[in-house]
Amino acid sequence: MDATPLLEVDGIKKAFGGVQAVDGAAFSVDEGTVTALIGPNGAGKSTVVGVIGGAIAPDEGRVSFRGEEITSLAPHRIARRGLIRTFQISREYPAMTVLENLMVSPSNQRGEKLANALFAHRSYRNQERQLAVKALDVLEDFGLYAMRDEYARNLSGGQKRLLELARSVMADPTMLILDEPMAGINPALISHIGEHILRLREAGITFLMVEHNLEVVERICDHVIVLAVGRTLAQGTMSELRANEAVVAAYLTGGIVDAGTAH
Amino acid sequence: MTGIIVGYIATLGVYFCIYNILSIGLNIQFGYAGILDFTVITFMAIGGYMAGVASLGPEQPGSQIFYILGLSLPWPVAMLIGATAAGLVGCAIGLIALRRLRSDYLAIVTLAAGSIIYGLVGNNTKIFDGFEGLVGVPQPLNGVLNLNPNSYSLFFLGFAAVIMVILWVAANRLRNSPLGRAMRATREDLEVAEAYGKNTYKLRMMAMVIGSIYVGIGGVLTIWYITALAPAGWGTSETFVVWAALIVGGVGSNGGAVIGSFLVAVVFNEATRFLPSISSNPSLIPEVRNICIGALVILTLRFRPQGVLPERKAKFPGLPERPFGEKATAVAEEV
Ligand SMILES: Nc1ncnc2c1ncn2[C@@H]1O[C@H](COP(=O)(O)OP(=O)(O)O)[C@@H](O)[C@H]1O
Ligand SMILES: [Mg+2]
């Protein structure tokens, strides 16, 4: 594997008023892996995701993607470099159709130029059709084809999670950061989404995924990063971490007993 | 008698065209891009005034009417100047208001900017003659055509209708394009659109400026038709009428903007202007009119919040139907 990691997070600090949400978190994600970011509630995971994606400006520290610093870039510039992040609560474009939700994702569409939009719809017609065909393929892969013309707000919670993934795939990312992609959905769909993630890894997408369900982490993640009170507590494979008492302690003090491995 | 009726109908028609342009402009800002513009009418005024001083001749000494420029320019150039000026003011307000993500901030900035411009134009008699306003603005082609007033009104109705149709077609092309889709994504969720690689600041600035240009052109037509414009004609209540037209017609839908401007701007607003006023209480009719429009908005929001003619679902014509649809359905239902 390549020597430089795909994503490097170095000494990130971020305080909200008096709350030190992130306090020096540092870790890296290797290309081709599905890496988990775990830690108790309030550990700063979502804040780290926000900092990586450019939505939250850190007080200190730096983030590099493909060896280039991206720390102070606007979120859309980071996204265009191939790093797409999702949000903890699924946030579809509610009053747009499922197909449209996907069609927004590709960058640099010809028809996004004002002159083409107003005076030359022929200039983007072919590209539009190709993108729509591709979007339908992606919807089919995710089992959402039948919902293509439905308003996204009418989907079920589970379907919205699938839509979020489908919409991200449509952006052709190098790396996807998912913030609790399986929160609040039924076990059947959890394993379904896990399969999608493994399938997409085979297709060349690297994942960083915030996840509470350790059973899922164990099954689909190659590497695990543990965050506690804003710092990186440990990194390694799941079995390495099981032997690490600090990790177990952090989880217990954080109030989260892992239900998945308990039974 | 027929002359009066023709003139009356032409006037309503012109107002319909103008309000239609204003509400489509607001639709581009708010319906497409979610920009809460609470000072629509300011762009109308800027467009009107600038076209006015571009087409008026130089100030007459001793006439006690003061204004800038006075260039006697031909109407297409004057219209261009009016539209550009409105676009520039839209851009300036956008520079202040669109950097932040919060929409309440945007609403407050637009309201404040509107009040400042109103105060500036009203109190400064040297720009557009203050609260007296501009009068005697030359009408396009009136000198060439030599028509009687009613025939000219009919001609102007055709003129305004052509401009309205051109703007309507352009607005629909924008709406149906990937650019319009990206704008709607910023309306739906600004932060998410940004996270998916959309330059949301640029997209919203485009919608802001294009919408301002539309409204500015509506202002140009206004000052040409009535040959005058004064601050009393563009108070906050006028902004309310444009918003009402858009909400009643259907936010996001240009067809809705047409129906809304017909109902609100023509039937309720303009038609009631021609009712005989009650001499003991001359402000009664305008008050009743505003109450009626307000009630119509409330009824719409309560019983048909999507408006009379709601935004349509996007269509992607010409895509092949898939044979595998059945399989895909099965999975979706299992979810
Ligand atoms: N925008 C914010 N304003 C104030 N406090 C915040 C904000 N975002 C997060 N926090 C606080 O920062 C800490 C870390 O939050 P978060 O990153 O969401 O944790 P996690 O995702 O690991 O549960 C929490 O104490 C949270 O209350
Ligand atoms: Mg979180």
Side-chain angles (χ1 to χ4, degrees):
Chain A
M1 193 152 291
D2 214 65
T4 50
L6 186 63
L7 179 78
E8 275 184 283
V9 173
D10 193 9
I12 295 289
K13 292 194 178 180
K14 177 70 190 180
F16 294 107
V19 182
Q20 190 68 41
V22 186
D23 192 13
F27 57 84
S28 59
V29 177
D30 286 325
E31 191 159 3
T33 62
V34 176
T35 299
L37 183 61
I38 66 171
N41 264 327
K45 304 179 296 294
S46 293
T47 307
V48 167
V49 170
V51 167
I52 296 172
I56 299 173
D59 302 328
E60 276 178 50
R62 49 177 278 156
V63 181
S64 310
F65 181 61
R66 294 157 121 177
E68 289 167 39
E69 177 158 3
I70 57 167
T71 321
S72 55
L73 293 183
H76 71 268
R77 294 196 185 280
I78 295 174
R80 287 186 191 187
R81 288 180 180 216
L83 177 54
I84 298 283
R85 56 78 60 106
T86 65
F87 294 82
Q88 184 165 345
I89 299 162
S90 32
R91 284 162 67 172
E92 69 290 350
Y93 306 122
M96 294 169 80
T97 67
V98 167
L99 181 53
E100 268 190 300
N101 265 259
L102 267 68
M103 293 293 285
V104 171
S105 290
S107 286
N108 296 321
Q109 298 182 37
R110 282 160 177 266
E112 286 180 355
K113 291 206 163 57
L114 182 60
N116 289 345
L118 290 184
F119 306 116
H121 71 277
R122 281 198 182 80
S123 68
Y124 65 81
R125 208 166 45 185
N126 279 339
Q127 189 189 47
E128 180 84 344
R129 186 177 298 133
Q130 285 161 9
L131 288 176
V133 168
K134 179 178 166 187
L136 290 178
D137 284 339
V138 172
L139 285 177
E140 218 170 322
D141 290 341
F142 283 92
L144 291 171
Y145 180 78
M147 312 301 286
R148 63 195 179 280
D149 287 328
E150 195 54 63
Y151 283 120
R153 62 163 174 257
N154 295 340
L155 298 189
S156 70
Q159 288 170 333
K160 285 180 183 172
R161 291 287 178 191
L162 289 171
L163 175 61
E164 194 129 59
L165 269 182
R167 177 171 76 169
S168 304
V169 168
M170 206 49 203
D172 268 331
T174 308
M175 177 167 181
L176 261 178
I177 303 183
L178 308 175
D179 197 349
E180 303 199 22
M182 304 177 190
I185 54 177
N186 67 50
L189 188 59
I190 288 181
S191 69
H192 207 69
I193 287 186
E195 285 157 27
H196 282 302
I197 291 173
L198 291 176
R199 172 175 67 81
L200 294 169
R201 184 188 60 178
E202 292 314 306
I205 300 178
T206 303
F207 283 87
L208 175 66
M209 162 178 158
V210 176
E211 186 50 61
H212 277 301
N213 186 332
L214 295 188
E215 200 180 21
V216 172
V217 171
E218 181 130 49
R219 191 155 49 81
I220 70 171
C221 297
D222 314 290
H223 194 82
V224 180
I225 297 152
V226 186
L227 215 62
V229 287
R231 292 192 203 102
T232 314
L233 189 66
Q235 303 192 46
T237 62
M238 200 60 209
S239 48
E240 283 165 10
L241 294 179
R242 270 188 204 295
N244 186 329
E245 283 177 20
V247 173
V248 177
Y251 257 79
L252 291 175
T253 52
I256 296 174
V257 183
D258 172 27
T261 48
H263 58 252
Chain B
M1 186 60 203
T2 48
I4 296 172
I5 292 172
V6 166
Y8 174 73
I9 289 178
T11 300
L12 280 189
V14 169
Y15 277 118
F16 166 66
C17 292
I18 290 171
Y19 272 105
N20 199 1
I21 292 170
L22 302 185
S23 34
I24 292 174
L26 178 62
N27 194 31
I28 293 173
Q29 293 176 335
F30 179 69
Y32 293 12
I35 297 170
L36 282 172
D37 175 1
F38 282 164
T39 190
V40 189
I41 214 69
T42 302
F43 301 110
M44 188 281 267
I46 298 290
Y49 278 130
M50 287 308 290
V53 294
S55 44
L56 275 167
E59 267 179 0
Q60 298 299 315
S63 72
Q64 298 301 314
I65 299 174
F66 303 104
Y67 49 85
I68 56 168
L69 300 180
L71 301 174
S72 311
L73 289 169
W75 68 267
V77 186
M79 177 173 254
L80 200 66
I81 288 175
T84 310
L88 286 175
V89 173
C91 181
I93 294 178
L95 282 173
I96 304 165
L98 296 175
R99 287 266 176 216
R100 302 281 185 92
L101 300 185
R102 287 173 46 189
S103 57
D104 49 352
Y105 186 77
L106 190 64
I108 290 166
V109 171
T110 54
L111 262 179
S115 303
I116 290 169
I117 292 172
Y118 189 89
L120 211 66
V121 169
N123 291 309
N124 195 324
T125 49
K126 300 280 191 236
I127 312 176
F128 305 122
D129 204 40
F131 286 112
E132 297 295 314
L134 298 179
V135 288
V137 177
Q139 296 182 302
L141 301 175
N142 203 2
V144 189
L145 294 171
N146 262 326
L147 298 169
N148 66 45
N150 280 333
S151 308
Y152 185 77
S153 291
L154 276 181
F155 162 77
F156 197 90
L157 175 59
F159 178 78
V162 168
I163 289 171
M164 178 189 80
V165 168
I166 292 172
L167 293 178
W168 203 78
V169 168
N172 267 327
R173 285 189 178 181
L174 177 61
R175 206 204 100 82
N176 296 329
S177 73
L179 178 60
R181 182 166 63 215
M183 285 175 177
R184 273 179 292 131
T186 69
R187 169 195 80 188
E188 294 292 296
D189 196 321
L190 202 55
E191 212 182 334
V192 169
E194 180 79 24
Y196 280 89
K198 300 297 159 201
N199 187 344
T200 56
Y201 176 65
K202 187 176 157 195
L203 285 165
R204 297 208 303 162
M205 184 59 105
M206 267 190 197
M208 180 76 191
V209 171
I210 295 171
S212 304
I213 289 174
Y214 269 62
V215 175
I217 292 174
V220 175
L221 292 177
T222 306
I223 201 170
W224 278 344
Y225 190 65
I226 52 186
T227 71
L229 186 61
W234 49 284
T236 317
S237 67
E238 301 297 317
T239 289
F240 165 68
V241 174
V242 183
W243 269 97
L246 186 61
I247 290 170
V248 170
V251 173
S253 142
N254 290 324
V258 176
I259 291 181
S261 14
F262 184 75
L263 280 178
V264 170
V266 180
V267 177
F268 279 79
N269 197 15
E270 292 307 331
T272 50
R273 270 189 220 269
F274 294 88
L275 294 176
S277 62
I278 298 149
S279 53
S280 61
N281 193 349
S283 67
L284 186 65
I285 296 245
E287 298 295 348
V288 168
R289 188 181 64 219
N290 280 347
I291 291 169
C292 288
I293 295 176
L296 189 63
V297 169
I298 291 168
L299 287 176
T300 306
L301 290 174
R302 173 68 186 81
F303 294 106
R304 202 173 160 82
Q306 70 276 37
V308 176
L309 203 72
E311 181 179 72
R312 271 184 315 203
K313 278 184 181 175
K315 289 273 174 290
F316 294 87
L319 291 176
E321 268 296 319
R322 313 205 146 201
F324 342 94
E326 296 300 317
K327 178 195 91 185
T329 315
V331 183
E333 275 163 5
E334 185 186 302
V335 171

